[in-house]
Coordinates of all heavy atoms in Angstrom, one line a residue:
A1 N 0.7 -15.3 0.2 CA -0.7 -16.0 0.2 C -1.2 -16.1 -1.2 O -2.4 -16.3 -1.4 CB -1.6 -15.2 1.1
G2 N -0.5 -15.5 -2.2 CA -1.0 -15.5 -3.6 C -1.6 -14.3 -4.1 O -2.2 -14.3 -5.3
E3 N -1.5 -13.1 -3.4 CA -2.1 -12.0 -3.8 C -1.3 -11.3 -4.9 O -0.2 -10.8 -4.7 CB -2.3 -11.0 -2.7 CG -3.5 -10.1 -2.8 CD -3.4 -9.1 -3.9 OE1 -2.3 -8.3 -4.0 OE2 -4.3 -9.0 -4.7
K4 N -1.8 -11.2 -6.2 CA -1.0 -10.8 -7.4 C -0.6 -9.5 -7.3 O 0.5 -8.9 -7.8 CB -1.8 -11.2 -8.6 CG -3.0 -10.4 -8.8 CD -3.8 -11.0 -10.0 CE -5.1 -10.2 -10.2 NZ -5.8 -10.7 -11.3
H5 N -1.3 -8.5 -6.7 CA -1.0 -7.1 -6.6 C 0.2 -6.9 -5.8 O 1.0 -6.1 -5.9 CB -2.2 -6.2 -6.3 CG -3.2 -6.3 -7.3 ND1 -4.4 -7.0 -7.1 CD2 -3.4 -5.6 -8.5 CE1 -5.1 -6.9 -8.3 NE2 -4.6 -6.1 -9.0
A6 N 0.3 -7.6 -4.6 CA 1.3 -7.6 -3.8 C 2.6 -8.1 -4.4 O 3.7 -7.5 -4.2 CB 1.1 -8.4 -2.5
M7 N 2.4 -9.1 -5.3 CA 3.7 -9.5 -6.1 C 4.2 -8.4 -6.9 O 5.3 -8.2 -7.1 CB 3.2 -10.8 -6.8 CG 2.8 -12.0 -6.1 SD 2.3 -13.3 -7.2 CE 1.6 -14.4 -5.9
R8 N 3.2 -7.7 -7.6 CA 3.6 -6.6 -8.4 C 4.4 -5.5 -7.6 O 5.4 -4.9 -7.9 CB 2.4 -5.9 -9.0 CG 2.7 -4.8 -9.8 CD 1.6 -3.7 -10.2 NE 0.3 -4.5 -10.6 CZ -0.8 -3.7 -10.7 NH1 -0.8 -2.7 -10.4 NH2 -1.9 -4.5 -11.0
L9 N 3.8 -5.2 -6.5 CA 4.5 -4.2 -5.5 C 5.8 -4.7 -5.2 O 6.8 -3.9 -5.2 CB 3.6 -3.9 -4.3 CG 2.2 -3.3 -4.7 CD1 1.4 -3.2 -3.4 CD2 2.5 -1.9 -5.2
L10 N 6.0 -5.9 -4.7 CA 7.4 -6.4 -4.5 C 8.4 -6.4 -5.6 O 9.5 -6.0 -5.4 CB 7.2 -7.8 -3.8 CG 6.7 -7.9 -2.4 CD1 6.5 -9.4 -2.0 CD2 7.6 -7.1 -1.4
G11 N 7.8 -6.7 -6.7 CA 8.6 -6.6 -7.9 C 9.1 -5.3 -8.2 O 10.3 -5.1 -8.5
Q12 N 8.2 -4.3 -8.0 CA 8.7 -2.9 -8.2 C 9.6 -2.5 -7.2 O 10.6 -1.7 -7.4 CB 7.5 -2.0 -8.3 CG 6.6 -2.0 -9.6 CD 7.4 -1.6 -10.9 OE1 8.1 -2.4 -11.5 NE2 7.3 -0.3 -11.1
A13 N 9.3 -2.8 -5.9 CA 10.2 -2.4 -4.8 C 11.6 -2.9 -5.1 O 12.6 -2.2 -4.8 CB 9.6 -2.9 -3.5
Y14 N 11.8 -4.1 -5.5 CA 13.0 -4.8 -5.7 C 13.7 -4.2 -6.9 O 15.0 -4.0 -7.0 CB 13.1 -6.3 -5.8 CG 12.9 -7.0 -4.4 CD1 11.8 -7.5 -3.9 CD2 14.2 -7.0 -3.6 CE1 11.8 -8.2 -2.7 CE2 14.2 -7.7 -2.3 CZ 13.1 -8.2 -2.0 OH 13.1 -8.8 -0.6
R15 N 13.0 -3.9 -7.9 CA 13.6 -3.4 -9.1 C 14.2 -1.9 -8.9 O 15.2 -1.6 -9.3 CB 12.4 -3.3 -10.2 CG 13.1 -2.8 -11.5 CD 12.3 -3.3 -12.7 NE 12.9 -3.1 -14.0 CZ 13.7 -3.9 -14.6 NH1 13.9 -5.1 -14.1 NH2 14.2 -3.6 -15.8
H16 N 13.4 -1.1 -8.2 CA 13.8 0.2 -8.0 C 14.4 0.6 -6.5 O 14.7 1.8 -6.3 CB 12.6 1.1 -8.2 CG 12.1 1.1 -9.6 ND1 12.7 1.4 -10.7 CD2 10.9 0.4 -10.0 CE1 12.0 1.1 -11.7 NE2 11.0 0.6 -11.4
G17 N 14.6 -0.5 -5.7 CA 15.2 -0.3 -4.4 C 14.4 0.6 -3.6 O 14.8 1.5 -2.9
Q18 N 13.0 0.4 -3.6 CA 12.1 1.2 -2.8 C 11.9 0.6 -1.4 O 11.0 -0.4 -1.4 CB 10.8 1.3 -3.6 CG 10.9 2.2 -4.9 CD 9.7 2.0 -5.7 OE1 8.9 1.1 -5.7 NE2 9.6 3.1 -6.6
G19 N 12.6 1.0 -0.5 CA 12.5 0.5 0.9 C 13.3 -0.7 1.3 O 13.2 -1.2 2.3
L20 N 14.0 -1.2 0.3 CA 14.9 -2.3 0.5 C 16.1 -2.2 -0.7 O 15.9 -1.4 -1.6 CB 14.1 -3.6 0.4 CG 13.1 -3.8 -0.7 CD1 13.6 -4.0 -2.1 CD2 12.1 -4.9 -0.3
E21 N 16.9 -3.1 -0.6 CA 18.1 -3.0 -1.6 C 17.6 -3.5 -2.9 O 16.9 -4.6 -2.9 CB 19.2 -3.8 -1.1 CG 20.5 -3.7 -2.0 CD 21.8 -4.3 -1.4 OE1 21.7 -4.6 -0.1 OE2 22.6 -4.8 -2.1
A22 N 17.9 -2.9 -4.0 CA 17.5 -3.1 -5.2 C 18.1 -4.5 -5.6 O 19.3 -4.7 -5.3 CB 17.9 -2.2 -6.3
D23 N 17.4 -5.3 -6.3 CA 17.8 -6.7 -6.7 C 16.9 -7.2 -7.8 O 15.8 -7.6 -7.7 CB 17.7 -7.8 -5.5 CG 18.3 -9.1 -5.8 OD1 18.2 -9.4 -7.0 OD2 18.7 -9.8 -4.9
R24 N 17.6 -7.0 -9.0 CA 16.8 -7.3 -10.2 C 16.4 -8.7 -10.4 O 15.3 -9.0 -10.9 CB 17.6 -6.7 -11.4 CG 17.5 -5.1 -11.5 CD 18.5 -4.6 -12.4 NE 18.2 -3.8 -13.5 CZ 17.2 -3.1 -13.9 NH1 16.2 -3.0 -13.0 NH2 17.2 -2.4 -15.0
A25 N 17.1 -9.6 -9.8 CA 16.8 -11.1 -9.9 C 15.6 -11.3 -9.1 O 14.7 -12.1 -9.6 CB 18.1 -11.9 -9.6
V26 N 15.6 -10.8 -7.9 CA 14.4 -11.0 -7.1 C 13.2 -10.4 -7.7 O 12.1 -10.9 -7.6 CB 14.7 -10.6 -5.7 CG1 13.4 -10.6 -4.8 CG2 15.8 -11.4 -5.0
S27 N 13.4 -9.1 -8.2 CA 12.3 -8.4 -8.8 C 11.8 -9.3 -10.0 O 10.6 -9.5 -10.1 CB 12.8 -7.1 -9.4 OG 11.9 -6.4 -10.2
L28 N 12.6 -9.8 -10.8 CA 12.1 -10.6 -11.9 C 11.4 -11.9 -11.4 O 10.3 -12.2 -12.1 CB 13.3 -11.1 -12.8 CG 13.0 -11.8 -14.1 CD1 12.0 -11.0 -15.0 CD2 14.2 -12.2 -14.9
D29 N 11.8 -12.4 -10.3 CA 11.0 -13.6 -9.7 C 9.7 -13.3 -9.4 O 8.7 -13.9 -9.6 CB 11.9 -14.1 -8.5 CG 13.0 -15.0 -8.9 OD1 13.2 -15.4 -10.1 OD2 13.9 -15.2 -8.0
W30 N 9.5 -12.1 -8.8 CA 8.2 -11.6 -8.4 C 7.4 -11.3 -9.6 O 6.1 -11.5 -9.6 CB 8.2 -10.4 -7.5 CG 8.6 -10.8 -6.0 CD1 9.8 -10.6 -5.3 CD2 7.7 -11.6 -5.2 NE1 9.6 -11.1 -4.0 CE2 8.6 -11.8 -4.0 CE3 6.5 -12.3 -5.3 CZ2 8.0 -12.4 -3.0 CZ3 6.0 -13.0 -4.3 CH2 6.8 -13.2 -3.0
Y31 N 7.9 -10.7 -10.6 CA 7.2 -10.4 -11.8 C 6.6 -11.7 -12.5 O 5.6 -11.9 -12.9 CB 8.1 -9.7 -12.9 CG 8.3 -8.2 -12.5 CD1 9.4 -7.6 -13.1 CD2 7.4 -7.5 -11.7 CE1 9.5 -6.2 -12.9 CE2 7.6 -6.2 -11.5 CZ 8.8 -5.6 -12.0 OH 9.0 -4.2 -11.8
R32 N 7.5 -12.7 -12.5 CA 7.2 -14.1 -13.0 C 6.0 -14.7 -12.2 O 5.0 -15.1 -12.8 CB 8.3 -15.1 -12.9 CG 9.4 -14.9 -14.0 CD 10.5 -15.9 -13.8 NE 11.7 -15.6 -14.5 CZ 11.9 -15.7 -15.9 NH1 10.9 -16.2 -16.6 NH2 13.0 -15.4 -16.4
K33 N 6.0 -14.5 -10.8 CA 5.0 -15.1 -9.9 C 3.7 -14.3 -10.2 O 2.6 -14.9 -10.3 CB 5.4 -15.0 -8.6 CG 6.5 -16.0 -8.1 CD 7.0 -15.7 -6.7 CE 8.1 -16.7 -6.4 NZ 8.8 -16.4 -5.1
G34 N 3.8 -13.0 -10.3 CA 2.6 -12.1 -10.6 C 2.1 -12.3 -11.8 O 0.8 -12.4 -12.0
A35 N 2.9 -12.5 -12.9 CA 2.4 -12.9 -14.2 C 1.6 -14.2 -14.3 O 0.5 -14.3 -14.8 CB 3.5 -12.9 -15.2

């Protein structure tokens, strides 16, 4: 829905594998969207 803090949380979750499998490419996509 465009909430930037949620994008940050998903970026971190994917980067560090918090609650899901780590995926640095997906993490970077969320960081780009959040930025």
Side-chain angles (χ1 to χ4, degrees):
E3 209 294 307
K4 63 186 179 184
H5 296 98
M7 295 174 193
R8 177 197 319 168
L9 293 172
L10 286 173
Q12 285 295 91
Y14 276 106
R15 182 160 193 89
H16 300 291
Q18 297 168 329
L20 39 77
E21 188 172 333
D23 187 328
R24 286 166 119 27
V26 174
S27 171
L28 186 59
D29 284 342
W30 281 115
Y31 288 158
R32 286 183 196 281
K33 290 173 185 174

